């Protein structure tokens, strides 16, 4: 029988150089800084849909990565919730995040706080399984007004 | 792992520790999963509990192998983060876990049940299937597969 090679891995951490200089040492520990960072990183005025942003953070709160995890209205079905949760936790784990911040951007001013609270609770529970803390869950609108859910 | 100052930007990657040659290139069942882990890590004879994971793709081909945790003689603390992070980085869709039990015969302890519960919860969140959880012991050449015994669900 032919021999086959199997790779044995250990997890390692490497320096990441592609994060912009101005974001490198920014500590995202309050809602205002988080909203400002998202505004700097994405052209929010051009978005017409609701968007959920995920920011992966390290223990002291500096950025390891930013992702758009959902475009459109919040999922109402269980399987879509699962998809969203998988996306959030996969991205956070791939960035080696120990904390995450989630921002729900509304192009209008009508926050759906009950759905956001529900989603925040689910994210918090899912993240706990992987020793990740949901440090902030915010809703923000075009006028840069924000509402803290977590 | 490479130690870095907390202010440095870091990304997680996988370091190739070694490449081993084996005639098993896909997993057909618990016996060949254990044989592969035994060939590489020889966990059956270790004095402390060890927890190894085989990462598989959708066709059950082996994409990687990792010794995730090493504990004490009667326990091992397993973090789901360390089990599933390599799976995401290797784009693996299925995992098989193998644990040795150096102080006892083949049996499902409360600690094993607790780990299984955590694995199943993580599996649902990340959509990465845990296809088997196998226990080996130095006192027996047999293996105990929770998957085959129907105790994984």
């Amino acid at each position: 029988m032919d021999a086959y090679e199997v790779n044995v891995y250990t997890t390692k951490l490497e320096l990441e150089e592609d994060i912009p200089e101005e974001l490198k040492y920014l500590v995202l520990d309050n809602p205002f800084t988080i909203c400002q960072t998202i505004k700097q990183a994405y052209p929010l005025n051009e978005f017409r849909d609701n968007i959920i942003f995920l920011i992966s953070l390290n223990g002291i709160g500096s950025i390891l990565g930013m992702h758009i995890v959902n475009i459109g209205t919040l999922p109402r079905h269980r399987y879509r919730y699962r998809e969203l949760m998988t996306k959030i936790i996969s991205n956070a784990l791939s960035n080696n995040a120990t904390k995450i911040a989630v921002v729900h951007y509304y192009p209008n001013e009508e926050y759906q706080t009950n759905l956001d609270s529900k989603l925040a609770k689910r994210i918090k529970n899912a993240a706990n399984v992987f020793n990740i803390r949901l440090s902030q869950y915010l809703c923000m609108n075009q006028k840069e007004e924000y509402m803290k859910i977590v | 792992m490479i130690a870095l100052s907390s202010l440095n930007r870091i990304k997680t990657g996988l370091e190739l520790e070694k490449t081993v040659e084996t005639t098993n290139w896909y997993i057909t069942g618990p016996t060949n999963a254990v044989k592969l882990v035994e060939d590489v890590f020889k966990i059956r004879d270790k004095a402390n509990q060890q927890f190894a994971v085989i990462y598989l793709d959708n066709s059950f081909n082996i994409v990687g192998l990792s010794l995730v945790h090493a504990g004490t003689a009667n326990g091992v603390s397993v973090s789901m983060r360390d089990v599933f992070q390599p799976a995401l980085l290797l784009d693996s869709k299925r995992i098989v876990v193998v644990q040795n039990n150096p102080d006892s015969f083949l049996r499902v302890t409360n600690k094993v049940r607790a780990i299984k519960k955590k694995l199943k919860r993580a599996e649902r969140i990340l959509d990465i299937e845990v296809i088997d959880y196998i226990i080996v012991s130095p006192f027996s050449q047999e293996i105990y597969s929770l998957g085959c015994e129907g105790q994984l669900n």
Side-chain angles (χ1 to χ4, degrees), chain A residues 2-19:
Chain A
D2 291 338
Y4 179 76
E5 288 184 340
V6 171
N7 294 332
V8 182
Y9 294 100
T10 48
T11 315
K12 75 166 185 177
L13 304 174
E14 281 176 350
L15 272 173
E16 174 79 84
E17 295 298 346
D18 57 0
I19 287 200

Side-chain angles (χ1 to χ4, degrees), chain B residues 16-37:
Chain B
L16 184 63
E17 197 176 279
K18 57 184 171 183
T19 300
V20 289
E21 279 199 356
T22 173
T23 48
N24 296 337
W25 57 279
Y26 61 90
I27 297 293
T28 51
T31 315
N32 87 331
V34 170
K35 187 178 178 302
L36 175 66
V37 171

Side-chain angles (χ1 to χ4, degrees), chain A residues 4 10 12 24 86 96-97, chain B residues 9 12 15 17 22 81 125:
Chain A
Y4 179 76
T10 48
K12 75 166 185 177
K24 254 189 172 177
T86 305
N96 201 38
Chain B
R9 223 68 6 206
T12 316
E15 191 164 41
E17 197 176 279
T22 173
R81 185 186 179 90
I125 295 167

